[in-house]
Amino acid sequence: MAYSVPHTGNIPFNLSDGKEIIVDGVVPPYAGRFSINLCSGQTYDSDTALHFNPRFDQNEVVRTHNRGGWGAEEKHGGFPFYKGGAFEVKIIVRHHAFQIFVNNTFFCDFNHRIPKETARFLYIAGDVTINRIAYLDVIQNPPVPLTTFINGGIYPGRKIVIDGIPRPGASRFNINLVCGPNFDANDVALHFDARFNYGDSHNTVVRTHKAGGGWGAEEKHCSYFPFVPNVPFEILILVESHGFKIAVNNQHFVEFNHRLHPLQRIDHLNVQGDVTLTQVKFV
């Protein structure tokens, strides 16, 4: 989808270490300047933690901040934008700085000059067409068991990416999308249970749900078992209108039709069992 410019959007999470904001766009042939801003209010007249400003009339990318007035400008790093060309700007929040990539190549760090948590809005203005804005909520090396709130909720098009490693001698691990913070007490919209050797189940992935304290019918059919102890994996859960589409290691694995409605009830991710997590990402 294309966004109208100027664009103001609420950032759906607090800016903490590991969070990502991605902006894909195209620069028109007549471009003079455009800017990407992380602001406390809906424009950069408010406190602005990051003002990222490619200037085609000067062949410079200016970075600065605003708190009652514009700060000193940083301009080093070259000019990776082209009139008439597409681009991707990725802003990764770090403890000390905004780490900025252009077209998947590191461009610069912009050290925090005001508390990064003050930025609540993304504001884009100037000579640019915006085709995609993505907010990635990333958790690095979380402990297991893990229970975490899903910022922005569950809706068609939402993706959850889980990277991990089954522990040596693993019996089972499971991934759960839960209607609340308590796996034991709350309804579970998706229970994805990888069983290496659990009860009478061997190399099986069980899918089911829980409502009103009772577990539903189990789905066990699958053409292969994609997990190996001590071998890294990536699970992608894509939310669609009819169900969850699940891929493992970039290969389609199974689908699970929604049994609980509305999807807005689902607001927590729970992971438990014999697994080490390296990264969890909400896209």
Side-chain angles (χ1 to χ4, degrees):
M1 66 177 285
Y3 295 81
S4 60
V5 177
H7 166 80
T8 298
N10 184 63
I11 299 172
F13 44 61
N14 291 326
L15 294 189
S16 57
D17 193 28
K19 304 295 175 69
E20 299 181 13
I21 299 172
I22 299 174
V23 177
D24 290 348
V26 178
V27 178
Y30 58 81
R33 301 180 178 188
F34 73 91
S35 65
I36 299 171
N37 307 272
L38 304 181
C39 312
S40 63
Q42 297 189 6
T43 73
Y44 51 45
D45 294 333
S46 60
D47 287 353
T48 300
L50 171 65
H51 175 71
F52 182 85
N53 181 204
R55 299 178 179 178
F56 292 85
D57 50 346
Q58 299 175 355
N59 279 342
E60 294 176 334
V61 180
V62 170
R63 290 87 67 189
T64 185
H65 81 294
N66 185 0
R67 194 167 212 177
W70 292 105
E73 296 181 346
E74 300 178 16
K75 301 179 180 181
H76 60 276
F79 193 75
F81 298 93
Y82 301 90
K83 291 184 179 182
F87 66 85
E88 179 189 270
V89 172
K90 179 188 293 184
I91 303 169
I92 303 178
V93 182
R94 298 301 184 197
H95 178 72
H96 68 289
F98 295 113
Q99 195 172 67
I100 303 171
F101 292 76
V102 178
N103 301 328
N104 291 313
T105 299
F106 174 76
F107 180 67
C108 70
D109 279 345
F110 182 76
N111 290 336
H112 299 308
R113 299 180 179 180
I114 63 177
K116 58 186 183 296
E117 295 81 8
T118 61
R120 302 301 305 149
F121 293 89
L122 173 69
Y123 175 66
I124 302 173
D127 300 328
V128 68
T129 298
I130 300 300
N131 298 321
R132 173 177 175 257
I133 297 172
Y135 298 96
L136 278 60
D137 195 350
V138 184
I139 308 171
Q140 303 283 354
N141 301 311
V144 178
L146 168 71
T147 298
T148 185
F149 179 70
I150 301 172
N151 281 307
I154 290 292
Y155 49 83
R158 194 79 200 261
K159 298 177 184 178
I160 300 172
V161 184
I162 300 165
D163 294 336
I165 306 171
R167 293 171 185 160
S171 171
R172 69 191 289 210
F173 72 88
N174 51 73
I175 295 167
N176 307 281
L177 296 179
V178 188
C179 303
N182 190 325
F183 169 78
D184 294 320
N186 296 130
D187 290 350
V188 178
L190 171 65
H191 176 67
F192 181 93
D193 190 10
R195 300 179 179 179
F196 298 83
N197 183 12
Y198 178 76
D200 58 358
S201 297
H202 303 280
N203 292 343
T204 301
V205 178
V206 173
R207 291 88 65 193
T208 186
H209 83 296
K210 183 176 68 171
W215 290 102
E218 293 184 345
E219 299 178 14
K220 297 182 179 180
H221 59 277
C222 52
S223 58
Y224 68 105
F225 184 72
F227 303 105
V228 178
N230 217 31
V231 175
F233 65 80
E234 179 181 273
I235 295 172
L236 168 63
I237 302 173
L238 171 63
V239 184
E240 297 192 328
S241 58
H242 69 282
F244 300 106
K245 184 178 288 186
I246 303 170
V248 181
N249 300 329
N250 293 313
Q251 183 174 345
H252 175 72
F253 182 55
V254 294
E255 295 189 22
F256 184 78
N257 289 335
H258 295 310
R259 298 180 181 180
L260 298 183
H261 297 276
L263 297 182
Q264 289 83 357
R265 294 180 58 202
I266 308 165
D267 58 4
H268 281 77
L269 171 71
N270 168 269
V271 181
Q272 53 187 302
D274 303 321
V275 66
T276 298
L277 296 177
T278 53
Q279 180 174 267
V280 174
K281 183 183 299 186
F282 300 97
V283 184

